Amino acid sequence: MKKYLSALICLLLTLPVFSQGVLKGKIINPVNNQPVAFANVLILNTELGAISDENGNYQIGNIPPGLYNVRASFVGFKTATKYEVQITQAKPVQLDFELLEDASELNEVVVSSEFSRSEETPLSVRKLNSNEIERYPGGNRDISRVIQALPGVASTPSFRNDILIRGGAPNENRFFIDEIEVPVINHFSTQGSSGGPVGILNVNLIKNVDLIAGGFPANRMNALSSFFEVQLKEGRRDQMFTQVTVGASELTLSNEGPLGEKTTYLLSARRSYLQGLFRLLGLPFLPTFNDFQVKTTTKLNEKTELTFLGVGAIDKFVLNEDIPENETQEERENRLYLLGVLPIQEQWNYATGLKLKRFRENGFWTFVLSRNMLNNRSFKYGNNDASSEANLLFDYLSQESENKFRAENSIFGTGYTLKYGVNYEYARYFIDNFDRATLAGSGQVIDINSTSNFSSYGAFISGSKYFNGERLLLTGGLRMDGSDFGSTAMNPLNQISPRVSVSYQLKPNLFATANAGIYYQKPPYTVLGFRNNEGVLVNQENDVQFIRSSQLIVGIEFLVPDKNRRFTAEAFYKKYDNYPSSIRNGIALANLGADFGVIGNEPVNSNAEGRAFGIEFLAQQRLFKDFYGIAALTLVRSEFTNPNTEGFVPSSWDNRFIVSLTAGKRFKNNWELGARWRFLGGTPYTPFDVQESALISNWDVRNSGILDYSRINGERLPAFHQLDLRLDKKYFFKNWNLNWYVDIQNAYNFQALQAPILVPEREGSGQIVVNPNDPSRYQLRLIENTAGNVLPTIGIIVEF
C-alpha cells in the first residue's frame, strides 16, 4: 500500500503543466447596463492586454496559467481592478467589469482606490475575493471562518462559526446574497442566534464578499453589528464548467453554464460523511449535513435582468452510545456527560428569491421578492431511553418562515446619488414545545402549541454628494421601521433611524472618515412568538420593543495602490437600549452566549442596556510579488446591564484583545504556503450553582448544572491562541485542472480552557452517587474542560 501511495505522490509531483490560457468578459456601466466600448484591459505586470469592442466584450489569449491582477480603465470612468484572477488551460476565464463614470473635475488630486471605497459606506467595509476565501489557512473554504482574519471580528476556540463583531452578539448580523436576504448561513444553527459548526455557502460560486461593520446603508435593516454582502458569480455564457471537491468531511459538486442565449446558471450540492468519521473516532455525537445552492441570471432585454436564487440545508444530529475501546476514566465522564446533555436534533432551512433589475439612463429600479424558512426540532429522553414517553424530558419543534418584498430606486447624477425604497414582510412562527427540564424543581411543565403571525414594514431614503473635486464625500440616510409584535414597535415613528457619514481626502490616498447613526433590530422570533401554557403572547403584553443601537465611528485610511496595500485605523462606540432580558433569570440575553439549542424562548422585558467600544487596526497586503498578508488588531470592551445586578458587567462577547496575523507566499510551479495565527483574550462565563444543581429533582430532568446568575459572567477564561497552516499545489492541463491541499488547524495543539463541566460522581456500575450527608442531592464535582486538537484536512479539487 505504501509503495502505491508513494508512486501516486511522485506522479502528482511530476505531472506535466500546459502553458496557455484565455481571459475574456464584458465591460459595462452598472448605472444603466450599457456596454463600455474601447476600454483598456491590462493584466498587470505583463505586456498582455486588450481593448473592448463596441458591445463591451474583450478577450486576451496566450496567457501562462497562474494568478494575476487585472485592471480595466477608460477615459471618464473610474478604474477597476480584479485581484488574484486564476488563469487556467481548462476553460477560458470569464471576468466581467463594472466601470462607474468619474465625476471629478480635479483628477490630478483624486487617486482611484484599488480597494473600491464605496459612496454609501466609505468606512468599516472589508472585502474578500473567492481566492482569498478558498486558500485561507484553517478556513476550510468556509466564509464564516475566513472573516475571522479581519479586524473587529472575534472567534471562539470551539468548532463553531459564531460571528462576533465589535463586541456584538452573533444574532446582530445579517446576510445578503445578490441582494436577497438569507437568514441562515451555517449548518446546525442556534435558533434565536446564529453560528454553527459548518458554513452552508460554497466558495466555488462566490465572486466576492463585503463585510460592512459600521456606517450601514439605509436600504439595509434589522442588524446592529454587521451586514454581509455576498456576490455570486454569473454562470458561464459560453460552455459548461464543473468542479468536484473531495475533502476530509464532505463531497461537493458544482456546475455552471448557459441555459440558452439569455440565461446562465450556477448550482452546487454537498454531502457530508462526518457521521462515519465521528463513529470511527468514537465521538458521542454523529452529525450529517447536506446543502445546495442555485442561481440563474436571465437578460430579458438590454434594460431588464432577472436573478433567481435558492439556498438550503438539511442537518441531522444523532447520538453514538457505543463505548470506545481503551476508554480512560476522564474520557468516560466526558462521554457520559455529553450523552446526558446533547439532544437529538433535526434541522432544515431554505431561502429562495427573485430579483428584477430595470435599468434606465440615470439609474435603475430593483425589486426583490423572497421567502425563507427554518424548521428546528430537538428532543431528549432521560438516560436516552425512548422506550417510554414518561422518560421524555423535552420535545421542541419550531418553524420560522418569512415572505419579503422590497422595492428600491437608485438615481445617479453628476457627483451625487439618491436612493429611496420601501419594504414589507409577513412572518409566521409556529412552536410545539413540551418541556419538563427548563423549569425543573418548580413542579411546572411547559406545554405549548401555537402559531403567531407578524407584519413588518419600512421605508428609507438616502443620498451621497461629492464636494471640492471629490475630496469631500457626504452621505446621509433616514429609514423607519415598524412591526405589529408590540404596541410601541407598531408605530414606525418610534423607530426613526438616521445616519450620516463623511469622508475627506487629506491628500492622495489618505482619507479621514466618520459616521454616526441609530439602528434598530427586531428581537428573535423565539422571543416574539413565546406563549405561556394559556396561549398568551407574553412578550407582546410586556410590550417588547425593537433593540436600539446608537453608534459613532471615526477612522483613517491610507492606500498604496501600486503595491496593493492598505492601512486603516477605526475607533467605535456602540450604545444599546431596549435589549431583551430574561424575567426568569434576571439577565440580558446578550449574556447567554451561543451554543446548540434555542435562545429567547422565554418571557422577557426590553429593559437591559449595553455598550461596546474599542479601536481596531488593519494592515492588508493583497497579492504583490507573490506575497499576501493581513494583520489585524482589535481592542474592545463589551458590557451589559442586568436586572439582578448593579451597573455594567462584561458580556459573553467581551474578548478585550484580538490579534489575527495571516500571510502567504506563492512559489514556483504553482506551490503556495499560508499561515494564520490568532490570539484572543479570554471571555467571561457564569459559574454553576452547585447546591441547586445537585438536587436530585433538578439533575434527573436536566442532566446538567444550573448556572448561578447572581454571579453573571463572574469568572473569566484564560487567553486563547492557535496556529493554522495550509499548503496548496495546482496543476493546469489542457482540458482540466487539479488542486490538492493540506490544511492543518491548531498546528501546535493548543488546549484552550473552557468553562468547567459539572458532572456527578458515579459508581463502577455507572450509577450516580447520592450525597451521604444530604440524600436529596447527588454528589457532583467540576472537571476541567478543554477544546483543541490538531485537525488536519486533505482535499482534492478537480475542474473540467
Side-chain angles (χ1 to χ4, degrees), residues 8-18 65 86 88-90 669-671 728-734 736-740 797 799:
L8 177 61
I9 293 174
C10 290
L11 177 63
L12 289 175
L13 293 176
T14 57
L15 282 171
V17 177
F18 292 81
Q86 183 70 67
T88 74
Q89 177 80 2
N669 299 319
N670 299 306
W671 287 90
D728 279 83
K729 170 63 175 172
K730 291 183 171 68
Y731 305 88
F732 304 110
F733 305 101
K734 186 173 183 180
W736 63 290
N737 305 318
L738 174 66
N739 173 203
W740 62 262
I797 304 172
E799 300 174 324

Side-chain angles (χ1 to χ4, degrees), residues 324-372:
E325 296 180 5
N326 305 318
E327 185 179 43
T328 66
Q329 178 65 24
E330 182 180 353
E331 290 171 339
R332 178 171 177 267
E333 288 179 339
N334 277 318
R335 179 176 59 83
L336 290 175
Y337 169 79
L338 290 173
L339 286 174
V341 172
L342 292 175
I344 295 174
Q345 185 177 15
E346 300 172 354
Q347 189 177 102
W348 55 262
N349 68 83
Y350 68 82
T352 183
L354 288 169
K355 180 181 72 173
L356 181 69
K357 213 164 188 177
R358 177 65 178 171
F359 293 91
R360 57 182 185 277
E361 281 303 312
N362 67 335
F364 50 83
W365 275 96
T366 304
F367 302 95
V368 178
L369 181 65
S370 66
R371 174 178 169 83
N372 58 264

Side-chain angles (χ1 to χ4, degrees), residues 29 64 96 180 210 228 251 385 495 594 632 738 743:
N29 181 341
D96 298 331
I180 298 170
D210 289 356
F228 284 81
L251 171 67
D385 179 8
Q495 289 84 225
L738 174 66
D743 190 291

Side-chain angles (χ1 to χ4, degrees), residues 676 722-725 744-750 789-791:
R676 174 188 68 157
Q722 178 173 310
L723 174 67
D724 303 321
L725 302 171
I744 303 175
Q745 297 181 41
N746 196 20
Y748 52 70
N749 196 28
F750 179 76
N789 290 295
V790 178
L791 184 59

Side-chain angles (χ1 to χ4, degrees), residues 126-128 133 143 206-211 228-230:
R126 319 297 184 192
K127 295 176 177 289
L128 293 169
I133 298 169
I143 291 174
I206 293 175
K207 184 177 180 180
N208 52 58
V209 178
D210 289 356
L211 165 61
F228 284 81
E229 299 283 352
V230 180

